[in-house]
C-alpha cells in the first residue's frame, strides 16, 4: 500500500498527492459563473493555503469560467503550483459534452487556455477524451507540436484505455492519465495497473462519486465513525493508499468540504480496515 505523500510528475514536479479539481467552482450543470463568485475565489485560494499544489481544470468547465476564476484567485501563481488543464471537449449547452479532438481545434483550445490562465506554458495539458472521428495519433500529434513550440511542459490523457495510451505514447511522452475511478467504480483498474507499472500519474475523477457520491457500504461508514471522519474522507484515504501513483482531485464549491477533503491526506487506515473497504467494489 502507498505511504508516500508526494509524487514526482514528469521528472520535474513534486506533487502533493491530494489535489483539487476545479470543475465544481462553476455554475449549475458546469455552466457559466458560480452563484457566489467570491466564495468560489475563496475556495481556490484556501486550497493552495492548505498545501494543494495540483490544480486541475479544463476549458470545458464553464466553459472557460473555471480557468478564469483560477487566474483571478491565484495569479501571480505561487512557486510550485502546477496547473493542469484539458482540451478536446466542447460545450453546446449545460450538461452537454461533445468531443472535438481535431488538431486545429486543440491548438485553438490551448491558446485560449493560455490566455485565460495568464500563462506562457501549461505545466500539464491533457487530451480530455478520445474523439471517435479523429485518430488519437492525430490529436496527440498536435499536442506534441505545441509542446515542441514551448506551449506545453507535459502531456496527459483522459478517458482512455490501455491500447489508446500505448498508441499515444508512440507519438509523444505521456506523464499522466485521468480516468473515472473510486471505491465503487473500478472499470479503470487495468489502466491504473498500467500507470503503476509505467510510473505514470493516475488522476481519478469523481474520486468520491461526483454528485451521486459513493454509497460507501457499512465497512467505510464504520471506519469513518471509528476515526471520527466522513465516509468521503475514508474514500479519499483509500485511494491514497491504493497506489503511490494515484493523485485524487476532489472538487467542491464549499470551504467546509474543501477542509474535510484535504484532511483526508492525514487519515491512515490499518491494513485490515483498508482490506474491508477494498471489498466494496460496485
Amino acid at each position: 500500500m502507498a505511504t508516500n505523500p508526494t509524487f514526482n510528475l514528469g521528472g520535474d514536479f513534486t506533487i502533493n498527492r491530494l489535489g483539487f479539481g476545479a470543475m465544481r467552482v462553476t455554475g449549475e450543470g458546469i455552466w457559466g459563473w458560480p452563484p457566489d463568485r467570491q466564495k468560489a475565489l475563496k475556495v481556490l485560494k484556501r486550497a493552495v493555503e492548505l498545501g494543494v499544489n495540483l490544480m486541475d481544470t479544463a476549458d470545458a468547465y464553464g466553459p472557460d469560467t473555471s480557468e478564469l476564476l483560477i487566474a483571478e484567485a491565484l495569479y501571480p501563481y505561487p512557486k510550485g503550483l502546477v496547473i493542469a488543464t484539458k482540451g478536446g471537449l466542447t460545450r453546446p449547452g449545460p450538461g452537454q459534452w461533445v468531443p472535438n479532438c481535431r488538431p486545429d481545434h486543440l491548438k485553438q483550445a490551448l491558446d485560449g487556455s493560455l490566455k485565460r490562465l495568464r500563462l506562457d506554458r501549461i505545466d500539464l495539458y491533457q487530451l480530455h477524451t478520445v474523439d471517435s472521428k479523429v485518430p488519437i495519433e492525430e490529436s496527440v500529434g498536435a499536442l506534441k507540436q505545441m509542446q515542441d513550440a514551448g506551449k506545453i511542459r507535459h502531456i496527459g490523457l483522459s478517458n482512455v484505455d490501455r491500447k489508446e495510451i500505448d498508441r499515444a505514447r508512440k507519438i509523444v511522452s505521456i506523464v499522466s492519465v485521468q480516468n473515472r475511478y473510486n471505491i465503487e467504480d473500478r472499470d479503470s483498474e487495468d489502466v491504473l495497473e498500467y500507470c503503476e507499472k509505467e510510473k505514470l500519474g493516475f488522476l481519478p475523477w469523481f474520486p468520491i462519486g461526483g454528485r451521486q457520491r459513493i454509497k460507501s457500504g457499512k465497512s467505510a461508514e464504520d471506519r469513518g465513525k471509528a476515526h471520527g471522519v466522513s465516509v468521503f474522507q475514508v474514500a479519499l484515504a483509500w485511494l491514497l493508499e491504493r497506489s503511490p501513483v494515484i493523485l485524487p482531485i476532489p472538487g467542491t464549491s464549499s470551504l467546509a468540504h474543501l477542509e474535510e477533503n484535504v484532511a483526508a491526506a492525514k487519515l491512515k487506515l490499518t491494513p485490515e480496515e483498508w482490506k474491508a473497504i477494498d471489498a466494496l467494489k460496485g
Side-chain angles (χ1 to χ4, degrees), residues 14 22 65 99 105 110 134 155 162-163 165-166 170 177 223 226 236 261 263 266 269 271:
T14 299
T65 52
H105 172 76
L110 172 68
V134 184
I155 295 171
R162 290 179 65 144
K163 289 183 179 178
I165 303 169
D166 275 333
K170 289 177 181 174
V177 174
R223 287 312 93 213
L236 290 171
N261 289 342
K266 298 184 176 71
L269 303 172

Side-chain angles (χ1 to χ4, degrees), residues 33-184:
W33 295 102
D36 187 338
R37 186 165 174 157
Q38 290 307 309
K39 181 182 171 187
L41 296 173
K42 286 178 182 176
V43 167
L44 292 165
K45 290 175 182 175
R46 184 62 179 149
V48 174
E49 289 172 1
L50 290 170
V52 168
N53 70 344
L54 173 62
M55 189 75 59
D56 181 80
T57 184
D59 65 346
Y61 299 163
D64 302 346
T65 52
S66 176
E67 292 179 332
L68 289 167
L69 285 165
I70 286 172
E72 185 178 347
L74 302 173
Y75 185 86
Y77 301 112
K79 186 177 180 181
L81 178 65
V82 173
I83 296 178
T85 192
K86 298 179 284 290
L89 278 177
T90 62
R91 302 296 309 285
Q96 296 177 284
W97 305 78
V98 177
N100 184 349
C101 296
R102 298 195 315 272
D104 59 340
H105 172 76
L106 290 173
K107 290 174 181 179
Q108 290 173 2
L110 172 68
D111 285 339
S113 291
L114 286 166
K115 185 176 181 179
R116 286 184 293 274
L117 290 165
R118 306 183 203 173
L119 290 169
D120 296 321
R121 182 180 70 177
I122 302 291
D123 290 332
L124 175 61
Y125 194 80
Q126 303 154 98
L127 184 68
H128 206 156
T129 191
V130 178
D131 188 339
S132 62
K133 299 175 182 177
V134 184
I136 192 171
E137 290 84 357
E138 290 185 19
S139 301
V140 296
L143 298 189
K144 183 180 187 301
Q145 288 177 10
M146 293 182 284
Q147 185 182 51
D148 291 343
K151 295 182 178 182
I152 298 173
R153 177 65 180 172
H154 294 297
I155 295 171
L157 303 172
S158 183
N159 301 309
V160 287
D161 61 30
R162 290 179 65 144
K163 289 183 179 178
E164 288 163 343
I165 303 169
D166 275 333
R167 288 168 61 189
R169 292 179 77 198
K170 289 177 181 174
I171 305 296
V172 69
S173 176
I174 300 296
V175 302
S176 65
V177 174
Q178 183 172 157
N179 278 14
R180 181 169 175 148
Y181 187 85
N182 56 55
I183 287 177
E184 295 178 341

Side-chain angles (χ1 to χ4, degrees), residues 172-271:
V172 69
S173 176
I174 300 296
V175 302
S176 65
V177 174
Q178 183 172 157
N179 278 14
R180 181 169 175 148
Y181 187 85
N182 56 55
I183 287 177
E184 295 178 341
D185 182 349
R186 305 189 209 172
D187 288 348
S188 286
E189 195 79 49
D190 62 329
V191 174
L192 171 57
E193 291 169 359
Y194 179 107
C195 290
E196 281 185 318
K197 179 172 173 284
E198 300 296 325
K199 295 182 172 56
L200 307 180
F202 182 85
L203 287 66
W205 59 270
F206 281 3
I208 53 177
R211 281 292 173 97
Q212 287 71 42
R213 300 294 181 103
I214 59 166
K215 298 179 181 67
S216 73
K218 193 172 185 305
S219 294
E221 290 173 1
D222 287 348
R223 287 312 93 213
K225 288 175 183 176
H227 289 276
V229 300
S230 75
V231 68
F232 307 119
Q233 286 172 296
V234 172
L236 290 171
W238 177 85
L239 282 169
L240 289 167
E241 295 187 40
R242 166 64 184 84
S243 168
V245 306
I246 285 184
L247 309 170
I249 46 170
T252 182
S253 58
S254 160
L255 282 167
H257 288 161
L258 170 66
E259 302 265 356
E260 183 180 288
N261 289 342
V262 173
K266 298 184 176 71
L267 176 61
K268 300 300 177 189
L269 303 172
T270 68

